[in-house]
Amino acid sequence: MRVTRIGGPTVLVELDDWRILIDPTFDPPGRRYTFGLGTSSTKTRGPAIEAADVGPIDVVLVSHDQHADNLDTAGRALLPAATYVVTTLAGSRRLAAANVHGLTAGQSVGLTAAGKAPLRVTATPGRHGPALTRAIVGDVIGFAVRREDQETVALWVTGDTVVYPELLDAARSLDVDVVVVNVGGVRFPVSGPLTYTMTGSEAVRLLTTLEPRVAIPAHYDGWSHFRDGEAGLRAALRTAPGRVQDAVRWVPDGQPVDTDAPAE
């Protein structure tokens, strides 16, 4: 597997012959986006690779479509060219295209393409904030991507979520090779101390439960709404179990990294 971090939540994964794009965001920096109920965020960093230079995409995984830090204007423009787009059930209704497949947690879809080994994508649970906020922030899912003939999850994408019992249950049930874990500890002034994505300490708790071979942090910088960020995760890792510290790979922006190669 080869992974290229493009910026924010946007990661290009090359798994066998499949090219998988996670949460495409390619707008330039400087714009402020509103998320509803008095919340907003400014994009502070642009993509390491421009949308025009990404190349052909087989699958786009959109953890949720309702927030521009996970699917922005330029990212939306890429969706029609992908063979498959997989997202939430509500998101599939909003995107309303023939190549879009909507899932709820636990549901899966098989993906086939000429000359490629089949894949199966299963939606995993996510909660984009504190308990009882789903009606406000909307649905979110993660993605467990398997080769159709294997039980091991080649790639797990957590999506934007906090740690909560259903997520930990999913982590216990999965045998994961590589996980892309969204961190950053999103907070907004209007909602005070409430967080809407994992902090560093929460990510360590999840990874301790999951025990993946490789863990790649994502979506921890490039936006003004991160309050924990890279520093929070690095601080939490200093006291994390050794196996968690060894699993984490900090992927530089725009540079493909082979997850089977030894960490530098």
Side-chain angles (χ1 to χ4, degrees):
M1 185 187 301
R2 185 160 59 176
V3 175
T4 306
R5 185 176 183 267
I6 294 174
T10 309
V11 178
L12 175 65
V13 176
E14 296 170 89
L15 173 61
D16 300 331
D17 295 320
W18 291 87
R19 303 185 83 246
I20 303 168
L21 187 64
I22 302 168
D23 283 346
T25 55
F26 289 91
D27 286 357
R31 179 176 169 186
R32 189 168 193 85
Y33 300 81
T34 59
F35 298 144
L37 293 180
T39 62
S40 64
S41 183
T42 299
K43 188 172 187 179
T44 59
R45 295 178 64 183
I49 301 172
E50 297 298 326
D53 298 325
V54 170
I57 298 298
D58 298 303
V59 185
V60 181
L61 303 176
V62 181
S63 63
H64 59 300
D65 71 306
Q66 66 267 29
H67 298 150
D69 62 323
N70 291 82
L71 182 65
D72 61 15
T73 303
R76 287 174 185 271
L78 290 179
L79 301 185
T83 306
Y84 298 99
V85 177
V86 186
T87 189
T88 63
L89 185 59
S92 70
R93 293 168 180 152
R94 287 186 289 263
L95 295 173
N99 65 341
V100 177
H101 299 263
L103 302 176
T104 59
Q107 293 183 329
S108 66
V109 60
L111 309 181
T112 60
K116 305 179 196 294
L119 296 180
R120 178 154 297 274
V121 178
T122 301
T124 58
R127 196 182 77 198
H128 200 352
L132 306 179
T133 60
R134 191 182 302 273
I136 299 171
V137 298
D139 292 338
V140 61
I141 55 174
F143 305 95
V145 182
R146 294 180 173 88
R147 298 171 179 91
E148 189 71 78
D149 61 348
Q150 297 184 12
E151 288 299 317
T152 297
V153 174
L155 171 70
W156 185 28
V157 181
T158 66
D160 280 10
T161 182
V162 296
V163 170
Y164 69 115
E166 288 82 355
L167 186 69
L168 292 173
D169 288 344
R172 293 185 189 99
S173 71
L174 298 174
D175 177 17
V176 173
D177 185 35
V178 177
V179 60
V180 175
V181 55
N182 285 8
V183 289
V186 166
R187 294 205 311 263
F188 300 100
V190 71
S191 52
L194 300 179
T195 57
Y196 294 86
T197 61
M198 275 183 269
T199 62
S201 59
E202 285 183 307
V204 166
R205 182 183 177 197
L206 178 67
L207 295 175
T208 301
T209 300
L210 182 65
E211 297 187 342
R213 182 178 65 85
V214 174
I216 297 173
H219 209 18
Y220 54 79
D221 62 3
W223 291 82
S224 63
H225 58 359
F226 292 122
R227 295 294 181 269
D228 196 59
E230 179 179 344
L233 180 55
R234 288 190 181 275
L237 285 170
R238 285 195 285 271
T239 57
R243 65 183 183 275
V244 172
Q245 296 183 38
D246 293 342
V248 172
R249 299 277 293 273
W250 294 93
V251 175
D253 288 352
Q255 298 182 28
V257 170
D258 184 349
T259 63
D260 294 323
E264 295 183 0

